[in-house]
């Protein structure tokens, strides 16, 4: 299973083996990773699953689509060019090793 690492704002880390087909948001919620709220359940309507992905992210990461792009304007912490909604990051084998940084707050 692909391994995804969540890096909290205090730099503590959790690495999870997630099944292909889930999302980075859902994996966090199922494993009680603090720092991702996911209030809308993954329907791109809340921006409480905001994460930052670094420039060393796997190239297989899908591009931001227009719906995600619009909702990223409503994140609690500043949007940067590394911002993504983790509910829109589908876990694939190619994402093995992905590291996402969590913002200081989601609400
Ligand atoms: Fe609501 Fe991602 S969980 S936008």
């Amino acid at each position: 299973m692909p391994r995804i690492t969540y890096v909290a704002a205090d730099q503590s880390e959790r690495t999870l083996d997630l099944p292909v087909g889930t999302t980075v948001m859902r994996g966090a919620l199922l494993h009680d990773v603090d720092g991702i709220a996911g209030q809308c359940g993954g329907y791109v309507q809340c921006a409480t699953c905001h994460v930052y992905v670094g420039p060393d992210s796997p190239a297989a990461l899908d591009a931001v689509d227009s719906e995600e792009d619009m909702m990223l304007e409503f994140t609690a912490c500043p949007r940067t060019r590394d911002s993504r909604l983790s509910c829109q990051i589908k876990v694939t084998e190619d994402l093995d090793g992905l590291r996402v940084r969590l913002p200081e707050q989601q609400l």
Side-chain angles (χ1 to χ4, degrees):
M1 285 195 276
R3 293 172 68 84
I4 309 294
T5 297
Y6 301 80
V7 183
D10 67 2
Q11 304 305 311
S12 61
E13 298 187 5
R14 290 252 333 253
T15 299
L16 302 175
D17 295 315
L18 296 181
V20 168
T22 193
T23 65
V24 170
M25 178 276 285
R26 192 158 299 285
L29 294 189
L30 288 174
H31 293 87
D32 296 321
V33 173
D34 286 335
I36 293 183
Q39 286 189 328
C40 77
Y43 290 100
V44 201
Q45 295 180 357
C46 72
T48 64
C49 62
H50 181 206
V51 297
Y52 301 105
V53 297
D56 54 346
S57 304
L61 209 54
D62 287 338
V64 175
D65 67 16
S66 59
E67 197 175 20
E68 181 180 356
D69 184 50
M70 184 196 68
M71 191 49 65
L72 279 167
E73 295 300 323
F74 299 96
T75 55
C77 285
R79 178 182 184 175
T80 74
R81 64 186 212 179
D82 293 334
S83 289
R84 294 298 306 261
L85 295 180
S86 58
C87 68
Q88 299 305 296
I89 304 176
K90 275 224 174 69
V91 174
T92 66
E93 290 291 353
D94 290 339
L95 290 191
D96 184 41
L98 176 68
R99 296 171 62 83
V100 297
R101 289 179 292 112
L102 308 179
E104 288 186 6
Q105 60 183 36
Q106 295 284 8
L107 303 170

